[in-house]
């Protein structure tokens, strides 16, 4: 059979097998092989690795899109020196994503500006890279969505939507107090996810304040009970990173020189 026909057939087979990346790069890969003369095994290995690598990149890009992270933050751009209070080793361990298989939760506590959201996003990205589904939401948006769904008779569907991801990140719990009804909806969600999938919470409120946040001590205790049962805790402290940047720029030093 003519080489052209075989080439066409290989291309068709690759496409049918959905090995699109290799199909697209077939000519370049063949030209390179003609030049470097790899063994049959090395050639096959290289081909498959290219395809696996491409599929992996696509899956991660899709997972990150689905997660709805508000910004791009990574562990690499987190300055652990500025935040010595944080357990560096635990963060690295969590980033491997093993807590997901155990349906363990993560709670990040700390005052404003110390990097809670940054770490939540960075860990979320790492979990996507480890192959799990992630959804990021602020507590306010989550509660608004659940309340709306309840009013519209769509609560079951909405709860399912927030129950599905292997990791649900709820950012900024405690910045605004929950209404009583919202607190109940939040409890329902936490109860559904309990021991099935992981939830990561960031909060500026210590647990003793959660009664105030949820407007009900008993409900707060029930929520905390489930969140804390199998959980990892990161305590962040110190001053706001944002303010530090401003201080550096001389904006908050108290000795701002008058404009000339
Ligand atoms: P929080 O959620 O605790 O209020 P953020 O995570 O939003 O704080 O952090 C505020 C800003 O400061 C973000 O832009 C974040 O990337 C940055 N930031 C905070 N801590 C660090 C850190 N240790 N290293 C690098 N950037 C940081
Ligand atoms: Mg935040």
């Amino acid at each position: 059979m003519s080489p052209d026909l075989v080439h066409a057939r290989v291309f068709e087979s690759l496409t049918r097998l959905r090995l699109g990346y290799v199909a697209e790069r077939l000519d370049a890969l063949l030209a390179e092989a003609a030049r470097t003369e790899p063994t049959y095994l090395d050639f096959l290995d290289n081909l498959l690795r290219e395809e696996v690598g491409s599929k992996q990149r696509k899956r991660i890009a899709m997972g990150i899109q689905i997660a709805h992270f508000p910004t791009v933050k990574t562990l690499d751009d987190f300055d652990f020196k500025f935040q010595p209070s944080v357990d560096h080793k635990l963060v690295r361990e969590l980033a491997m994503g093993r807590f997901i298989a155990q349906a363990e939760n993560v709670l990040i506590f700390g005052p404003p500006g110390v990097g809670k959201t940054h770490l939540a996003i960075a860990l979320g990205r790492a979990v996507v890279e480890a192959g799990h589904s992630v959804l990021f939401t602020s507590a306010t948006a989550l509660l608004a969505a659940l309340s709306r769904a309840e009013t519209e008779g769509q609560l079951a569907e909405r709860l399912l939507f927030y129950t599905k991801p292997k990791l649900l990140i709820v950012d900024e719990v405690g910045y605004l107090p929950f209404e009583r009804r919202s607190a109940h909806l939040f409890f329902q969600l936490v109860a559904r996810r309990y021991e099935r999938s992981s939830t990561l919470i960031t909060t500026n409120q210590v647990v003793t304040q959660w009664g105030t946040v949820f407007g009900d001590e008993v409900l707060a205790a029930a929520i905390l009970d489930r969140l804390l049962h199998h959980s990892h805790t990161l305590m962040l402290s110190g001053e706001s990173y944002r303010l530090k940047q401003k201080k550096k720029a001389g904006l908050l030093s108290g000795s701002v020189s008058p404009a000339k």
Side-chain angles (χ1 to χ4, degrees):
M1 196 183 271
S2 84
D4 279 356
L5 272 179
V6 179
H7 185 285
R9 198 169 61 195
V10 167
F11 185 83
E12 198 197 312
S13 297
L14 286 169
T15 311
R16 279 180 68 173
L17 290 168
R18 299 184 197 285
L19 304 178
Y21 188 73
V22 170
E24 212 173 274
R25 300 204 52 227
L26 184 59
D27 290 339
L29 288 165
L30 289 172
E32 192 191 311
R35 193 170 49 80
T36 58
E37 299 185 353
T39 63
Y40 296 129
L41 187 62
D42 282 343
F43 176 68
L44 187 60
D45 180 41
N46 183 31
L47 211 77
L48 295 176
R49 279 177 42 173
E50 293 254 2
E51 187 65 44
V52 168
S54 155
K55 289 215 169 5
Q56 176 92 335
R57 286 192 296 278
K58 268 195 199 150
R59 187 185 56 69
I60 291 171
M62 179 79 76
I64 283 174
Q65 214 181 340
I66 290 170
H68 280 94
F69 296 119
T71 49
V72 179
K73 300 283 177 192
T74 66
L75 285 182
D76 287 339
D77 35 73
F78 191 79
D79 182 359
F80 284 93
K81 280 200 288 300
F82 181 74
Q83 191 49 258
S85 61
V86 71
D87 185 344
H88 192 153
K89 222 180 102 207
L90 176 58
V91 173
R92 292 281 165 200
E93 215 176 284
L94 291 171
M96 317 247 283
R98 277 199 295 268
F99 71 101
I100 299 290
Q102 316 291 330
E104 291 164 350
N105 300 322
V106 179
L107 284 99
I108 307 181
F109 294 92
V114 291
K116 299 184 298 297
T117 302
H118 186 136
L119 279 181
I121 296 171
L123 284 173
R125 285 180 73 93
V127 168
V128 169
E129 284 171 18
H132 308 285
S133 56
V134 175
L135 180 65
F136 182 105
T137 174
S138 71
T140 314
L142 171 68
L143 270 309
L146 288 177
S147 295
R148 200 175 333 113
E150 190 183 36
T151 313
E152 292 168 358
Q154 307 280 321
L155 183 60
E157 290 86 342
R158 261 291 110 171
L159 278 172
L160 192 64
F161 173 78
Y162 289 113
T163 308
K164 268 188 183 161
K166 291 307 283 179
L167 174 65
L168 178 70
I169 301 176
V170 185
D171 195 28
E172 300 188 339
V173 170
Y175 277 85
L176 292 172
F178 289 10
E179 284 170 23
R180 210 184 155 71
R181 189 63 213 141
S182 298
H184 267 282
L185 293 174
F186 188 69
F187 169 73
Q188 283 186 50
L189 179 61
V190 168
R192 277 175 189 230
R193 295 186 61 83
Y194 174 61
E195 290 192 331
R196 278 185 223 146
S197 35
S198 301
T199 306
L200 185 156
I201 304 269
T202 80
T203 179
N204 61 333
Q205 301 287 352
V206 291
V207 292
T208 48
Q209 289 301 315
W210 279 38
T212 314
V213 171
F214 291 100
D216 182 324
E217 294 290 343
V218 177
L219 196 58
I223 291 170
L224 270 169
D225 187 53
R226 282 156 184 80
L227 285 178
L228 290 171
H229 186 196
H230 310 285
S231 69
H232 303 275
T233 304
L234 287 168
M235 294 284 187
L236 274 59
S237 60
E239 60 174 329
S240 160
Y241 193 85
R242 298 185 192 100
L243 295 185
K244 184 196 89 161
Q245 301 300 93
K246 293 243 158 51
K247 274 184 191 161
K248 244 188 184 169
L251 285 173
L252 293 173
S253 64
S255 60
V256 181
S257 39
K260 285 182 189 137

